[in-house]
Amino acid sequence: MGLEKMSSALWFSGLIFLNSLLLCMAAGQVHYYDFVLKETIFTKLCSTKSILTVNGSFPGPTIRVHKGDTVFVNVHNQGKYGVTIHWHGVRQPRNPWSDGPENITQCPIAPNTSFTQEVIFSTEEGTLWWHAHSDWTRATVHGAIIILPKPGTTYPFPKPYAEETLILGEWYKGDVMAIITEALATGGDPNISDAFTINGQPGDLYNCSSGTTYRLPVYSGKTYLLRIINSIMNEEQFFGIAKHNLTVVGSDGAYLKPINTNYIMITPGQTMDVLVTANQSPSLYYIASTPFADTTAPYDNTTTTAILQYKGNYTVPSTIPFPTLPAYNDKDAAGNYTIRLKSLASKEHPVNVPKKITKSIFMTVSVNQIYCPNASCAGPSGNRLSASLTNISFVTPKIDILQAYYRKLPRVFASNFPYQPLYYFNFTGDVGNNTVYPALATKALTVNYNDAVEIVLQGTNVGAAENHPMHLHGFSFYVVGMGSGNFNNKTDPKSYNLIDPPEVNTIGVPKNGWVTIRFIADNPGVWFMHCHLERHASWGMDTVLIVKNGGTSATSIRPPPKYMPPCS
């Protein structure tokens, strides 16, 4: 072969390779994980117990991908009961089949069976997490999802020296499944946790725990990216590091305008990406997390700690500095932090806030009661504790709603969840007996493909009012407004932020206040919406959003996989 022909052949081969490489980068990589659900023995707080884990670890393994990748997770259930896994904050375009909530998009993975879930990453970038979505199994079955920028791109802030994931969790001395089973049987409040944890360790302030306190080693002068996840069941958290400022740069898999603060407030379900620079005298400094619980409901009022440990030679202090965090009921501190969150809204990371709304929804959020004859239950006034959205307490069906919707199975759910309450009252004032007793039903909220949706979530003073972290599967949404008291549809929209609102998947509805969210319903499927305080979700503070198919196969739900876990 002549040099000219050889050169042409090499050039052509190189072109093919480059095109293949660019196509591969555009489509993303494919990754495979095996998750083995099994009982594992742990000793904490001076006692030993068995807990359900993934691959024997608590917290569970980290999934690490680049933006736009796809992951196949083969879940092998070697545990004692059926479980599902949810990929919290992953939109799963057109693929609700692998979203995971039990009896919403699938039935449980039975013991001694397996199910492969396809996790499709699209626009997410930053930190998300995965967790079990069956009863209270997520207390011990959860882990981080790290979504790095696409190859060839980088963070919208100076690259940190290193990264560390901090999962805020908790520990129950009792059996978690037995705790919720007993609470649902009696109608009373479930037992609170016995400790909070950071990366599975309670920390120095609990019995039998100081020897295993989690330590984060740092080099003086270096900046670290902390990926903070709140996996706690029922308490929002304040978080801080002694003598160190925090720069918040992301939340829920999206970037934020940098916020400088000495504490964050993070609800169950949320993630926060935080930069911290080791710019203090080399020493030890406490990392601490305490509950935010502006409520009369019972809660765990303990403090978990870790230690920021500088590398090098220095005298260890006799007393380790401790961060100053807001009081457990400091509603203003929680609210003032949350309203500072704003999307980065840059050329590389733009926002697309819906302006012309085609579907308006007003939804109340309440803790309720179910009447028990002869005051025979363990809740208030001898009744059973309950919870609702728009005074409808969700009843979980025996057959998953996605299957029923896709196959048009009758009598599984109703698609008439109301867009407005049946009647209005002073939601945040003296509510009297208004809506103390909710309707019990399995109802879904239905919208058209590509609807521009606005939902006003109105907290109420019914029952034990508190902050409610509401989570929507299948979407991230823009938080365009937030306020206290009753929402005023004439004046409050004037204060909406339509320029750079935060794009999140979980947001706290303030105690006796309201939040307005907006999104484009461009993800056809069946998507769960619920409070991420687990006791409220168990009591019925849930509904289902059904986004109808568009007019083409590319705007419709994908066909189901060949195998789905059967419903018993």
Side-chain angles (χ1 to χ4, degrees):
M1 181 183 292
L3 289 177
E4 185 176 339
K5 289 184 177 181
M6 183 180 294
S7 177
S8 298
L10 289 173
W11 177 86
F12 185 67
S13 299
L15 183 62
I16 291 175
F17 173 78
L18 180 60
N19 286 339
S20 300
L21 180 62
L22 291 173
L23 183 64
C24 184
M25 289 173 64
Q29 298 292 310
V30 178
H31 310 266
Y32 298 88
Y33 287 83
D34 279 293
F35 277 17
V36 179
L37 287 155
K38 61 181 180 179
E39 293 287 324
T40 307
I41 300 295
F42 281 86
T43 298
K44 297 184 190 297
L45 306 182
C46 315
S47 62
T48 299
K49 61 175 283 195
S50 177
I51 64 171
L52 186 65
T53 66
V54 168
N55 298 353
S57 65
F58 171 72
T62 296
I63 290 177
R64 193 175 183 92
V65 298
H66 287 275
K67 182 178 180 179
D69 287 355
T70 298
V71 172
F72 288 91
V73 183
N74 198 0
V75 182
H76 311 271
N77 187 1
Q78 297 177 6
K80 298 182 292 187
Y81 32 75
V83 180
T84 65
I85 304 291
H86 168 56
W87 320 98
H88 186 112
V90 182
R91 290 179 177 84
Q92 292 279 46
R94 302 174 46 235
N95 185 36
W97 304 104
S98 285
D99 189 48
E102 181 175 349
N103 288 10
I104 305 299
T105 61
Q106 69 172 85
C107 287
I109 306 166
N112 301 313
T113 67
S114 299
F115 177 48
T116 299
Q117 292 178 256
E118 182 182 5
V119 187
I120 304 170
F121 295 91
S122 53
T123 60
E124 308 88 354
E125 187 173 331
T127 307
L128 297 173
W129 64 303
W130 60 266
H131 59 81
H133 215 302
S134 303
D135 297 311
W136 278 28
T137 49
R138 79 168 178 86
T140 59
V141 178
H142 57 256
I145 300 175
I146 295 174
I147 309 159
L148 300 169
K150 280 189 174 182
T153 68
T154 188
Y155 301 118
F157 46 81
K159 185 177 180 180
Y161 175 75
E163 304 179 8
E164 188 67 29
T165 301
L166 299 179
I167 298 182
L168 309 182
E170 63 199 323
W171 187 260
Y172 291 81
K173 288 185 177 180
D175 181 278
V176 177
M177 294 294 281
I179 288 172
I180 186 56
T181 299
E182 179 184 4
L184 294 177
T186 64
D189 257 310
N191 292 343
I192 61 173
S193 57
D194 295 286
F196 296 122
T197 61
I198 297 176
N199 286 355
Q201 302 301 338
D204 288 355
L205 303 184
Y206 298 96
N207 291 335
C208 306
S209 300
S210 59
T212 57
T213 297
Y214 182 77
R215 292 175 179 251
L216 174 58
V218 295
Y219 286 100
S220 184
K222 301 296 185 181
T223 297
Y224 295 80
L225 174 60
L226 305 183
R227 301 178 181 271
I228 304 169
I229 299 166
N230 186 350
S231 74
I232 292 168
M233 302 289 278
N234 292 305
E235 287 93 0
E236 289 112 342
Q237 294 284 296
F238 291 116
F239 172 95
I241 303 175
K243 296 189 177 183
H244 288 74
N245 287 328
L246 309 175
T247 302
V248 185
V249 293
S251 179
D252 284 7
Y255 294 116
L256 297 170
K257 287 183 169 65
I259 299 170
N260 293 316
T261 180
N262 57 9
Y263 73 92
I264 66 171
M265 196 286 285
I266 182 169
T267 75
Q270 286 183 329
T271 70
M272 299 279 171
D273 292 340
V274 174
L275 296 174
V276 61
T277 300
N279 56 7
Q280 298 299 302
S281 299
S283 189
L284 307 180
Y285 298 88
Y286 269 125
I287 302 168
S289 185
T290 61
F292 165 57
D294 186 18
T295 178
T296 58
Y299 65 97
D300 183 344
N301 194 21
T302 62
T303 299
T304 182
T305 59
I307 294 175
L308 187 76
Q309 179 173 320
Y310 280 66
K311 290 180 175 289
N313 297 318
Y314 51 84
T315 302
V316 174
S318 57
T319 302
I320 301 174
F322 205 90
T324 301
L325 295 176
Y328 75 93
N329 61 352
D330 194 336
K331 179 180 177 180
D332 290 339
N336 290 340
Y337 171 76
T338 302
I339 62 175
R340 295 179 66 191
L341 304 182
K342 291 180 171 58
S343 285
L344 186 58
S346 66
K347 181 180 178 181
E348 294 79 13
H349 302 280
V351 298
N352 182 26
V353 185
K355 302 296 199 314
K356 295 182 179 179
I357 300 303
T358 60
K359 186 68 70 178
S360 294
I361 299 160
F362 186 92
M363 188 180 295
T364 58
V365 184
S366 304
V367 174
N368 308 88
Q369 300 173 32
I370 297 173
Y371 175 74
C372 291
N374 304 315
S376 56
C377 295
S381 304
N383 290 326
R384 175 182 300 279
L385 282 164
S386 178
S388 69
L389 297 174
T390 312
N391 207 38
I392 299 170
S393 186
F394 187 79
V395 178
T396 304
K398 300 298 183 185
I399 298 173
D400 65 275
I401 292 176
L402 174 58
Q403 179 185 175
Y405 172 68
Y406 191 81
R407 303 190 188 283
K408 297 181 173 58
L409 303 179
R411 297 184 296 278
V412 175
F413 72 98
S415 57
N416 61 347
F417 189 98
Y419 296 126
Q420 308 288 332
L422 296 179
Y423 66 96
Y424 285 72
F425 57 95
N426 183 7
F427 299 116
T428 59
D430 183 1
V431 297
N433 285 326
N434 282 305
T435 66
V436 168
Y437 303 107
L440 305 178
T442 308
K443 294 194 175 190
L445 185 67
T446 304
V447 300
N448 294 320
Y449 181 81
N450 253 356
D451 262 341
V453 181
E454 176 179 287
I455 303 178
V456 177
L457 295 160
Q458 173 69 64
T460 75
N461 205 27
V462 178
E466 64 181 296
N467 197 77
H468 296 285
M470 296 300 298
H471 172 52
L472 176 60
H473 293 218
F475 292 90
S476 287
F477 49 77
Y478 295 103
V479 181
V480 299
M482 178 181 295
S484 59
N486 297 329
F487 176 77
N488 185 312
N489 63 358
K490 300 295 184 184
T491 59
D492 285 329
K494 295 177 182 178
S495 67
Y496 282 176
N497 174 12
L498 303 179
I499 305 300
D500 57 359
E503 185 181 15
V504 297
N505 61 62
T506 306
I507 187 64
V509 180
K511 176 181 178 180
N512 287 330
W514 57 270
V515 161
T516 301
I517 66 174
R518 288 185 176 186
F519 59 95
I520 299 295
D522 57 359
N523 193 9
V526 172
W527 307 108
F528 203 29
M529 184 176 185
H530 61 96
C531 181
H532 228 278
L533 299 183
E534 210 62 31
R535 68 183 191 279
H536 292 172
S538 299
W539 294 339
M541 195 177 283
D542 326 291
T543 190
V544 170
L545 176 71
I546 294 179
V547 179
K548 296 179 182 179
N549 286 337
T552 67
S553 60
T555 58
S556 299
I557 299 176
R558 290 171 45 176
K562 291 181 179 179
Y563 173 80
M564 291 290 294
C567 300
S568 57

